[in-house]
Amino acid sequence: MAVAQVETTLRGPEAYGLARRVIEDMEAASVWPTPLNFEIWVHYLGDPEGALGREIRRILAASEPFTEATADMLAAEYLPRSRLTEEIRDAGRVLDRELSSVSEAIAKAHKSQAAYGQTLDKAAAGIEAVGDGAGLQAIVSNLTTATRRVQRENETLEKKLDASTREVARLREHLEQVRRDSLTDALTNLANRKAFDEHLASACDEADADGGALTLAVLDIDHFKRFNDTWGHQTGDQVLRYVASVMARVAAHPRVAARYGGEEFALIFPRETIGQVETALESIRKEIGSRSLRRRSTNDELGAVTLSAGFAQRRPNECAAGLLERADAALYASKHAGRNRVTCADQLEQAA
């Protein structure tokens, strides 16, 4: 079970069984159930053959004490969020180094410019006082030497600033990629739950500002747990990626598609009518249900996968949580009515 699958398990019915196993295993190993230790053990038992699992087994076999320092080391090395934080820290350290280097170069240039100014002042005073050609020639020679020295300092500063500008641009691009990764679901490449929450809050603010329509849809793969139990998590991941690919084609900007958790997805529709949203959701449902899938590893026939969806159009000043709750209620209605259908919350409410 890879990291993405562990995250999926934690948002489904299997999470409770995994949590109980984690507590029992930690107690047997005499490891305190701190939040960080618990997270480490969840990933260990969720993927025991992974790199983290092998390292923990090595530590336990060697009877090494599982201290806070050990937990910090394992988190920094193996937990995805910790690695992300470390990347940001590394970028920050490089940026600090570059800024310090530039500051030193600027200070040196300022010092050189000040010294050059003093040289010019002395030269001006000397020209007024000098009476012969030899003295004037010495003054000019000193000015020439000082000017060349300042030119060299300026050239060095320009090169340093140019190199630092390129490095800062590289860091900016790297940090932007890190930011995108932190908002992307690793399995499906759709927006993750964190990104979805941010997009929905922003879309609500925009709708309040301009009075535009905003519709939220929640979609769920029918009988996905049964599918996983029959064919295994790897094939389940294949199905999730397939569903996500169909959604991604439909969710062109300004629409936003996200993996909400487990086999559940969400779509944000800014400034669209109920009819447009329903048409888009029906196209997703029909395309997914029309294909008979095959298992990549064995080419076994998996059959068709169906999708249920519910959507709600936002009311004036309705909070994001209220909109999500109504869309969830519409999804539940689709499931209750037999699955493989799209239900509009507004129509449900009118009928009630």
Side-chain angles (χ1 to χ4, degrees), residues 64-83:
E64 297 178 12
F66 201 90
T67 63
E68 290 185 8
T70 302
D72 289 339
M73 179 274 294
L74 291 173
E77 182 68 24
Y78 299 105
L79 294 188
R81 284 192 294 274
S82 298
R83 289 201 297 271

Side-chain angles (χ1 to χ4, degrees), residues 188-236:
T188 63
N189 284 325
L190 296 180
N192 62 16
R193 174 65 181 272
K194 178 183 177 184
F196 165 76
D197 289 340
E198 291 181 2
H199 280 297
L200 184 58
S202 176
C204 287
D205 290 341
E206 290 179 9
D208 284 335
D210 61 20
L214 175 62
T215 305
L216 172 65
V218 182
L219 308 89
D220 188 88
I221 301 174
D222 296 327
H223 303 298
F224 186 72
K225 184 180 184 304
R226 188 169 67 195
F227 189 94
N228 255 355
D229 291 343
T230 302
W231 298 103
H233 287 295
Q234 287 188 334
T235 304

Side-chain angles (χ1 to χ4, degrees), residues 177-309:
Q177 182 60 50
V178 169
R179 188 192 70 82
R180 286 195 296 268
D181 290 345
S182 73
L183 297 174
T184 302
D185 177 66
L187 179 66
T188 63
N189 284 325
L190 296 180
N192 62 16
R193 174 65 181 272
K194 178 183 177 184
F196 165 76
D197 289 340
E198 291 181 2
H199 280 297
L200 184 58
S202 176
C204 287
D205 290 341
E206 290 179 9
D208 284 335
D210 61 20
L214 175 62
T215 305
L216 172 65
V218 182
L219 308 89
D220 188 88
I221 301 174
D222 296 327
H223 303 298
F224 186 72
K225 184 180 184 304
R226 188 169 67 195
F227 189 94
N228 255 355
D229 291 343
T230 302
W231 298 103
H233 287 295
Q234 287 188 334
T235 304
D237 288 350
Q238 179 184 335
V239 172
L240 289 170
R241 283 191 289 266
Y242 164 62
V243 171
S245 69
V246 175
M247 290 183 59
R249 288 199 301 273
V250 174
H253 183 79
R255 296 172 177 174
V256 176
R259 185 183 178 196
Y260 188 68
E263 69 274 19
E264 196 168 26
F265 298 85
L267 267 168
I268 300 172
F269 296 87
R271 303 181 191 85
E272 296 192 50
T273 65
I274 286 179
Q276 289 172 316
V277 172
E278 189 164 16
T279 298
L281 294 175
E282 283 290 354
S283 70
I284 293 172
R285 184 188 67 79
K286 290 176 181 177
E287 180 174 351
I288 289 172
S290 67
R291 290 187 57 180
S292 181
L293 304 182
R294 289 184 175 275
R295 195 178 190 184
R296 285 180 181 172
S297 57
T298 62
N299 207 34
D300 290 337
E301 185 86 23
L302 303 178
V305 173
T306 63
L307 195 72
S308 297

